[in-house]
Amino acid sequence: MKTYKELPSDAGSNIIGQVEAQANRVQKRLASVKHTVAIMSGKGGVGKSSLTANLATALTLQGNTVGVVDADINGPTLAKMMGVRNATLEYTPAGVKPAITALGTKLISMDLLLAEDDAPVIWNAHTQKDAFTWRSAMEVGALREFIGDTEWGTLDYLLLDLPPGTDRLPNVAELIPDLGGVVVVTIPSEVSQFIVKKSVTMARDVLKVPIIGVVENMAFYVCQHCGEKEPLFSSDETLDTAFQQDLLGSVPFDPKLARSSDDGTLYLHEYPDAPASKVLMAVAEKVQAFFQSL
Amino acid sequence: MKFLCTDCDTAMKFKDVTRPEQGSVTALFECPDCFTEIAMFLNPSETQMLKSLDLKLGGNNEAAQPMQMVRSQLETGKSEAMPNEFSPGMSTGETAEGGKCPFTSAISDAFQEEPEPAEPSGPVWTVEALERLERIPAFVRPMAKMGIESFAKDNGHDEITAEVMDAARGNFPAQF
Ligand SMILES: Nc1ncnc2c1ncn2[C@@H]1O[C@H](COP(=O)(O)OP(=O)(O)OP(=O)(O)O)[C@@H](O)[C@H]1O
Ligand SMILES: [Mg+2]
């Protein structure tokens, strides 16, 4: 009797071929993208999405063509933060035309596909029971289509805003084998740094993805009365030396930044002279310098 | 997955796949020598896993459409993201003009459930219960409806009243 290896193919479904075709679609699309950058943090709520939005705007203002993938499939915030929540996606055989911000940054987000403001992502299934067994496969599939099926055109930078957690980067690294690098976001608290170190290890040691650098967000607060820098967290919580080496910048806490995100107005455009804007522009320059030095 | 006809020692070939019934698909394989057929049943979890991976049994010869998985599988999506071809009424791949739409057939042939029978055999809804159902947010309504109906069936109710809904309520996260 013949054995598994002696039978020619998989009875006609060509599953391997189908998986390869999916990967090829992404590769073909990324051929016209110069640099891909994932913005990540093991910790939630530290400002990954705010940083992605502002970094994308900064790179655009510095003369680059920039696209953004909101890779947070279940908690998409970038369409709101970048002021394009009302954009209607256009579907053509060549791909999906992304939303475009006031300054010309391109964005794809699950938020642009959901029917209602309060609608969560619910996938079609015979039953939602045991959805944990297949839900993450759907999410990776969605991300693959966001990267591969959006009509990005030629881009200098494609940024990906990851959901919190150490486990997300491996999915991205699999979809984008030659991922340009990651920007890691932390806040000064020890708890945040403790978790964020794990994501650095995951990126650098496990996945061998280059670390572009670390952004310390909500690093301090500038007193509106005296202009003094005040720590937002406990003053003895300093940035770990491991992070200091790779530091791209320390972004102050600025209520106007939070407000701009809520209103979907572009902070860097509105407040170019704010201390946080200057740091964000400098971070964007360092990201460019990182790729120029390669 | 490979299948061998043990009588002929020949690799079996994929022949056909049904659309899911109760979430489960059936694939037919045939021996090219003796024409013996076997049926492979995928349970709902296996069917769902294939669907999540956007893989088609029997191969995929259709050109991929942009974001076809998200657009066809997102239950809470905007309607313009789900063009006509996706609407459940046309799940056989027939377009309004009567033509065969490659996009729909690519995605639906394998995974769109068989349409519900015209004469629903499930429990009957009272007007009051239907009004309450209307108050459930649109995007979870189909799921809630299915859940309540299966609760009623499991508990031997032929009619869904407000009381049955109250009783079913404990089983769902959605408020109604
Ligand atoms: N430097 C800052 N100054 C003021 N507010 C900020 C700053 N950075 C972020 N915020 C605010 O903090 C909140 C959380 O930020 P954001 O959503 O960007 O975090 P996140 O890391 O993406 O969260 P999640 O883990 O949920 O994806 C938002 O309301 C945002 O406006
Ligand atoms: Mg976020």
Side-chain angles (χ1 to χ4, degrees):
Chain A
M1 196 169 85
K2 287 200 179 89
T3 61
Y4 180 85
K5 286 217 157 119
E6 288 167 318
L7 295 199
S9 69
D10 61 356
S13 291
N14 190 17
I15 296 291
I16 294 173
Q18 289 188 51
V19 172
E20 275 172 358
Q22 291 179 349
N24 287 344
R25 245 157 85 196
V26 173
Q27 285 316 308
K28 230 171 117 186
R29 189 71 69 178
L30 289 179
S32 52
V33 174
K34 278 198 201 124
H35 310 297
T36 45
V37 178
I39 289 82
M40 68 176 282
S41 174
K43 198 86 187 78
V46 293
K48 294 175 292 296
S49 303
S50 312
L51 182 76
T52 307
N54 283 294
L55 192 56
T57 304
L59 287 166
T60 306
L61 287 169
Q62 289 164 1
N64 300 286
T65 49
V66 182
V68 180
V69 175
D70 187 345
D72 196 339
I73 305 293
N74 293 298
T77 49
L78 281 179
K80 181 163 172 62
M81 286 184 173
M82 300 180 82
V84 292
R85 273 221 74 210
N86 295 327
T88 305
L89 295 177
E90 200 186 315
Y91 302 91
T92 75
V96 177
K97 291 205 161 75
I100 300 183
T101 71
L103 293 177
T105 315
K106 299 170 182 177
L107 172 74
I108 189 75
S109 169
M110 190 53 116
D111 201 18
L112 300 169
L113 282 106
L114 287 169
E116 292 171 52
D117 279 2
D118 50 359
V121 169
I122 295 179
W123 298 106
N124 175 283
H126 176 63
T127 167
Q128 298 291 327
K129 206 171 147 271
D130 296 333
F132 69 91
T133 57
W134 48 263
R135 227 189 130 95
S136 55
M138 283 280 193
E139 287 161 15
V140 173
L143 187 55
R144 174 175 50 73
E145 292 192 337
F146 282 2
I147 301 168
D149 291 354
T150 303
E151 267 193 82
W152 298 113
T154 317
L155 291 183
D156 294 311
Y157 290 93
L158 181 65
L159 308 187
L160 295 101
D161 174 29
L162 266 52
T166 306
D167 54 325
R168 307 310 178 117
L169 189 66
N171 295 340
V172 174
E174 210 159 297
L175 290 169
I176 310 176
D178 50 357
L179 185 66
V182 298
V183 170
V184 181
V185 188
T186 187
I187 55 173
S189 83
E190 263 182 54
V191 168
S192 169
Q193 296 190 51
F194 172 67
I195 295 299
V196 171
K197 271 190 205 157
K198 296 183 196 298
S199 23
V200 171
T201 309
M202 174 66 92
R204 191 187 47 211
D205 302 339
V206 182
L207 302 169
K208 318 273 185 228
V209 175
I211 308 268
I212 300 172
V214 176
V215 172
E216 184 190 24
N217 191 24
M218 309 194 202
F220 54 89
Y221 178 78
V222 181
C223 174
Q224 288 179 337
H225 305 291
C226 65
E228 280 290 308
K229 289 181 180 181
E230 304 275 354
L232 198 61
F233 294 82
S234 157
S235 53
D236 47 52
E237 282 175 319
T238 50
L239 196 64
D240 194 281
T241 41
F243 290 152
Q244 276 174 18
Q245 284 172 12
D246 292 334
L247 191 67
L248 294 172
S250 294
V251 183
F253 181 88
D254 182 356
K256 292 196 292 294
L257 192 151
R259 167 51 61 89
S260 295
S261 291
D262 288 346
D263 294 349
T265 52
L266 302 171
Y267 175 77
L268 289 175
H269 187 60
E270 297 257 305
Y271 306 101
D273 298 323
S277 292
K278 300 216 161 117
V279 178
L280 288 162
M281 291 297 275
V283 168
E285 270 160 22
K286 286 187 183 165
V287 170
Q288 294 189 78
F290 171 87
F291 286 107
Q292 277 152 15
S293 73
L294 292 180
Chain B
M1 226 172 292
K2 300 175 181 182
F3 298 94
L4 182 77
C5 173
T6 47
D7 284 345
C8 312
D9 204 26
T10 303
M12 292 189 118
K13 291 239 156 67
F14 172 85
K15 191 172 177 207
D16 204 2
V17 61
T18 66
R19 285 192 284 158
E21 247 175 278
Q22 308 283 315
S24 164
V25 293
T26 308
L28 290 179
F29 296 86
E30 186 184 62
C31 170
D33 292 339
C34 69
F35 304 108
T36 299
E37 276 186 15
I38 59 158
M40 176 181 74
F41 302 106
L42 266 67
N43 69 27
S45 300
E46 292 158 345
T47 307
Q48 185 67 26
M49 187 46 80
L50 265 187
K51 193 161 125 171
S52 321
L53 295 170
D54 199 24
L55 297 173
K56 315 275 176 312
L57 274 179
N60 183 10
N61 303 319
E62 314 283 353
Q65 294 297 315
M67 298 192 192
Q68 62 182 24
M69 194 284 284
V70 173
R71 292 162 70 202
S72 60
Q73 301 305 329
L74 184 63
E75 198 138 301
T76 40
K78 272 182 190 167
S79 53
E80 71 259 26
M82 323 291 148
N84 283 341
E85 305 96 280
F86 284 129
S87 65
M90 293 188 191
S91 58
T92 52
E94 296 294 313
T95 60
E97 291 76 41
K100 187 96 168 145
C101 164
F103 188 5
T104 332
S105 47
I107 48 163
S108 66
D109 278 4
F111 291 120
Q112 230 49 276
E113 281 277 345
E114 283 292 352
E116 291 287 312
E119 212 38 56
S121 52
V124 181
W125 288 74
T126 64
V127 175
E128 187 196 359
L130 273 179
E131 273 170 7
R132 250 174 86 175
L133 184 69
E134 283 299 305
R135 272 182 264 144
I136 301 175
F139 56 86
V140 283
R141 205 176 296 144
M143 248 167 65
K145 184 163 182 274
M146 245 165 62
I148 298 165
E149 281 174 352
S150 92
F151 173 87
K153 240 171 158 171
D154 292 348
N155 291 279
H157 302 289
D158 301 330
E159 194 177 62
I160 296 174
T161 59
E163 287 74 37
V164 174
M165 286 180 86
D166 279 335
R169 189 180 191 154
N171 294 7
F172 303 104
Q175 292 298 307
F176 52 84

